[in-house]
Amino acid sequence: MKKSKKLVVGNWKMNPQSLDEAKKLAQAVKRATRGLKKTDVVVCPPFVFLSPLTSLSDSPFFLGAQNANYEAQGPFTGEVSYTELSDFKVDYVIVGHSERRKMGESDDLINKKVRAVVGGGMIAILCVGEEARDSNGDFYNFIKHQITSGLKDVSKKMLDRVVVAYEPLWAIGARESMSPRDLLETSIFIKKVLKDLCGTFSDSMKILYGGDVDRVNADSLVRDGNVSGLLVGRESLRSKDFIEIIKLVDSI
Ligand code: PEP
């Protein structure tokens, strides 16, 4: 069976401050993706920078959005719909990032977005993760609930358009990444949840890790944590570091 490709996603959040910087960063990353054989790379800039960067999108370098409205069109001031995104070469959409959940996005809303994104032909990066780890393992139920509600009524045939990004909240933006050993336990758990939910269709689904990834821990997180790739925040804004992370992942 052909081994599926790894995936490295850069979430730029509300950065950088100018189109010029955005272009330089995206161009540098794209150049570094030439010749990658085993890894796809996605950068997710703010909405305003997506359109000017679409000409760069060409496998294995893809563009992603950080959010999408599940309605195709209508009176939703300030929103961008999934149809508008898919119209200009956006291939991935981050859905349910913890920073958006904190702004009030519910499990139900996140599920609607997942369904809209995959129905629109794009790939949804569904973010899940616990706020804290308790000693009795309740956080596992929390992760399971987020996955189950995020995938509710998603047709099994569309599951190859869903990537699950496991991002423990305590590691995001912190100087404390998860240990590869703990990640391995959690990735085994997530695979089991997906298998119970989706049967063999879950075989095509990738699981990413995110939370304080850098060039020092990237290799071990992917290799020993047994995940398909990484979702990178801060380090994706530093082209040299992000490129090093991409190359490390590609060499696994
Ligand atoms: C994130 O916000 O998705 C993230 C992983 O951030 P960081 O890499 O900066 O911890």
Side-chain angles (χ1 to χ4, degrees):
M1 199 170 101
K2 200 169 159 243
K3 217 173 158 224
S4 83
K5 279 175 125 185
K6 296 264 187 307
L7 182 64
V8 178
V9 181
N11 177 11
W12 291 2
K13 310 193 182 185
M14 206 164 67
N15 301 290
Q17 298 303 291
S18 70
L19 176 58
D20 195 42
E21 287 171 274
K23 279 185 177 160
K24 281 194 184 124
L25 180 55
Q27 280 159 353
V29 174
K30 175 167 175 150
R31 267 196 304 278
T33 62
R34 279 189 208 127
L36 292 182
K37 292 265 171 339
K38 297 184 282 181
T39 310
D40 285 336
V41 175
V42 182
V43 296
C44 303
F47 284 134
V48 282
F49 298 144
L50 277 169
S51 174
L53 297 181
T54 50
S55 60
L56 295 178
S57 171
D58 192 16
S59 179
F61 177 88
F62 298 94
L63 284 179
Q66 299 172 18
N67 183 30
N69 194 294
Y70 68 88
E71 297 280 3
Q73 58 183 6
F76 304 102
T77 303
E79 291 289 285
V80 176
S81 80
Y82 70 97
T83 46
E84 290 161 344
L85 293 170
S86 69
D87 193 49
F88 57 71
K89 283 182 113 182
V90 169
D91 288 294
Y92 290 78
V93 181
I94 298 175
V95 179
H97 190 279
S98 59
E99 287 157 10
R100 295 212 59 89
R101 289 183 192 257
K102 243 187 249 166
M103 291 175 210
E105 291 200 2
S106 66
D107 288 326
D108 181 51
L109 177 63
I110 289 162
N111 172 248
K112 286 186 171 120
K113 291 184 181 200
V114 170
R115 285 189 279 143
V117 168
V118 300
M122 297 175 287
I123 297 178
I125 303 171
L126 170 64
C127 297
V128 300
E130 77 282 359
E131 211 154 313
R133 292 212 145 199
D134 45 78
S135 53
N136 52 6
D138 274 354
F139 61 91
Y140 278 124
N141 286 331
F142 184 79
I143 297 168
K144 182 176 176 181
H145 170 76
Q146 284 189 327
I147 294 174
T148 310
S149 54
L151 295 179
K152 190 167 162 266
D153 297 333
V154 176
S155 136
K156 290 202 166 41
K157 278 184 274 171
M158 299 247 185
L159 286 169
D160 58 351
R161 291 198 205 148
V162 180
V163 171
V164 175
Y166 168 61
E167 299 205 296
L169 270 60
W170 47 268
I172 295 179
R175 273 289 155 229
E176 182 192 9
S177 111
M178 180 171 237
S179 75
R181 195 198 158 94
D182 285 347
L183 177 57
L184 176 62
E185 271 179 30
T186 314
S187 69
I188 290 170
F189 173 76
I190 292 174
K191 277 176 199 152
K192 175 154 181 353
V193 170
L194 293 173
K195 190 89 175 179
D196 291 347
L197 214 56
C198 320
T200 52
F201 288 92
S202 70
D203 297 348
S204 59
M205 294 174 76
K206 292 188 203 310
I207 299 170
L208 309 183
Y209 169 79
D212 192 34
V213 172
D214 59 24
R215 59 198 169 79
V216 177
N217 60 24
D219 177 89
S220 174
L221 282 165
V222 173
R223 202 187 287 272
D224 305 324
N226 196 22
V227 288
S228 302
L230 300 165
L231 176 49
V232 185
R234 286 157 295 171
E235 300 291 297
S236 70
L237 294 165
R238 288 192 265 271
S239 58
K240 251 177 100 185
D241 295 291
F242 190 52
I243 289 165
E244 199 171 331
I245 291 170
I246 293 166
K247 292 198 167 149
L248 285 166
V249 172
D250 196 54
S251 69
I252 292 172

